[in-house]
Amino acid sequence: MTGPTPKPWIDAIHPYTPGRSVASGVERPVKLSSNENPLGTSPAAQRVLAEAQGGLSRYPDPRSTALREAIGVRYGLDPERIICGTGSDELLHLAAGAFAGVGDEVLYVRYGFSVYPIAARRVGAEPVEAPDTDYATNVDALLEAVTSATRVVFLANPNNPTGTFARRDDIARLHAGLPEDVLLVVDQAYAEYLDEADDDGALVLAGNAPNVLVTRTFSKIYGLAAERIGWGYGPAPVIAALDKIRAPFNVTSAGQQAAVAALGDTDFVEASRTHNAKWRGWFEERIAGWGNAGLRAVPSKANFVLVEFNGPVTAEQAFEALLQRGYITRWLPGQGLPDALRITIGTEEEMAGLVAALDEVLSNEP
Ligand SMILES: *Cc1c(COP(=O)(O)O)cnc(C)c1O
């Protein structure tokens, strides 16, 4: 007996590898591998979660009405054109599922977010990678890779795992060069970390164009990764298509309430953004100081930095040595990045400890 056979496109999926959270022999490792908020969760959201005990026997609001309205007020968007998801992950899968299938192509840039090829293959579509330029999005290369089979283009901005950013004119040019029947998904998981001047314009595009969807998440700056809440904004017909195939009760009651509270806690978001900018800058300077050891920080606009190791200590050696010292970073050979580590910006104490550990690792090289 062989049992049921998965579809060949499912067999072709390389499973998502989450960031590690344990380091053997270390009791309380410092986890800098999943781009979580080192300041934790908005106190307002925490209070809501602590109180959300009643009503567990009832299904949540299937349309996340109060949350969509709160998002609409916060960002000046029509709540009818907002969809909430079980993390923005669900929305990325829905976008591929609603608009691509067997025989179609799903396009993204090399070193794009690792969920994109999974979302494409899951529905039988072919993932297609366009070349990057020094880790960043190359709009011309993306446009050149568009064929008559292209149905969806995914672009994370800022991008994970590179931290690179496509500016407003890049996004506008990419959109202008795409056929109107190709859906452009701008995945803004890290948008709240940007300076205001760095707005990539995708929300406005999603408001005006027939083929742009923006996705956001409560997992990063809002510090609610455990609750799994994301949202998307786009043209009414696109949102309607996604709504048809989402899970009917896809965001928990507590999650919906916590997200509303988190949206209102602008102090926490501001403090998180300020903390991140300060320590990311500090960390990038330390990396620059190790230039002669072959280290280089790819310029980042997100809450992590991709660090290249091109000297005597390899990225793999640094990853293992940091792990032994209790610092979990992300080594991504499976994503074509064997010579780099992605490191999340942690607390002040964590960053100081990480840099001291890295200093030791680099000076101990054989
Ligand atoms: C973290 C991340 C997400 C968010 O995923 P959730 O499912 O909302 O937790 C989406 N896109 C990118 C590029 C990310 O890095």
Side-chain angles (χ1 to χ4, degrees):
M1 292 232 297
T2 55
T5 312
K7 304 308 282 182
W9 50 88
I10 302 295
D11 266 338
I13 291 176
H14 305 286
Y16 180 83
T17 324
R20 289 172 64 154
S21 53
V22 290
S24 68
V26 181
E27 201 162 315
R28 297 195 62 212
V30 174
K31 188 180 176 209
L32 302 174
S33 57
S34 295
N35 303 341
E36 295 146 334
N37 190 332
L39 305 185
T41 306
S42 144
Q46 286 189 43
R47 273 195 297 279
V48 166
L49 285 168
E51 286 160 13
Q53 302 293 342
L56 288 180
S57 63
R58 302 284 179 200
Y59 279 106
D61 173 5
R63 302 190 65 233
S64 301
T65 311
L67 175 54
R68 286 186 301 106
E69 280 167 4
I71 293 166
V73 169
R74 170 67 186 78
Y75 292 100
L77 307 173
D78 176 1
E80 290 304 315
R81 294 175 55 176
I82 294 171
I83 179 173
C84 293
T86 312
S88 48
D89 246 29
E90 183 191 19
L91 302 172
L92 300 172
H93 280 283
L94 295 178
F99 297 99
V102 174
D104 296 330
E105 293 175 356
V106 169
L107 177 64
Y108 49 89
V109 73
R110 188 171 176 223
Y111 311 127
F113 185 38
S114 57
V115 163
Y116 305 154
I118 300 175
R121 286 214 162 94
R122 177 174 181 235
V123 297
E126 192 63 27
V128 177
E129 278 185 8
D132 61 302
T133 302
D134 191 25
Y135 300 104
T137 294
N138 177 334
V139 168
D140 296 309
L142 271 173
L143 289 174
E144 266 170 44
V146 173
T147 72
S148 59
T150 307
R151 302 270 53 93
V152 177
V153 177
F154 282 117
L155 179 67
N157 205 31
N159 185 39
N160 171 15
T162 62
T164 52
F165 181 67
R167 290 180 327 215
R168 182 196 300 251
D169 50 334
D170 294 322
I171 299 289
R173 201 157 60 83
L174 173 60
H175 174 252
L178 288 176
E180 271 199 358
D181 63 351
V182 172
L183 180 69
L184 172 61
V185 181
V186 183
D187 173 351
Q188 295 187 336
Y190 302 97
E192 295 86 357
Y193 284 103
L194 295 170
D195 297 333
E196 231 160 276
D198 282 334
D199 177 4
D200 70 8
L203 275 178
V204 172
L205 267 183
N208 298 331
N211 62 335
V212 178
L213 174 72
V214 168
T215 60
R216 293 273 187 118
T217 183
F218 283 91
S219 299
K220 304 288 157 57
I221 211 165
Y222 290 107
L224 283 167
E227 284 296 320
R228 315 300 309 121
I229 315 148
W231 59 275
Y233 172 72
V238 170
I239 298 300
L242 304 190
D243 261 324
K244 280 187 191 172
I245 56 169
R246 69 174 169 83
F249 303 100
N250 60 347
V251 185
T252 64
S253 302
Q256 293 180 31
Q257 292 169 36
V260 170
L263 270 180
D265 193 347
T266 47
D267 286 352
F268 179 78
V269 172
E270 195 49 46
S272 300
R273 184 188 301 117
T274 304
H275 171 90
N276 185 66
K278 175 179 175 184
W279 291 100
R280 186 184 63 206
W282 179 85
F283 185 51
E284 286 176 334
E285 275 173 33
R286 298 284 126 6
I287 299 298
W290 283 313
N292 53 3
L295 270 60
R296 179 178 82 109
V298 175
S300 171
K301 297 248 186 204
N303 66 342
F304 56 87
V305 178
L306 187 70
V307 181
E308 278 186 319
F309 287 75
N310 290 318
V313 175
T314 66
E316 183 178 13
Q317 287 165 342
F319 171 76
E320 293 296 345
L322 287 172
L323 202 56
Q324 278 170 18
R325 289 164 174 78
Y327 292 89
I328 309 177
T329 63
R330 193 75 164 262
W331 180 48
L332 293 162
Q335 274 183 258
L337 292 164
D339 299 322
L341 297 183
R342 194 196 69 191
I343 303 177
T344 305
I345 302 304
T347 62
E348 171 172 0
E349 190 191 350
E350 289 168 345
M351 295 315 285
L354 169 80
V355 161
L358 195 50
D359 193 37
E360 207 176 278
V361 171
L362 294 172
S363 49
N364 279 354
E365 51 98 359

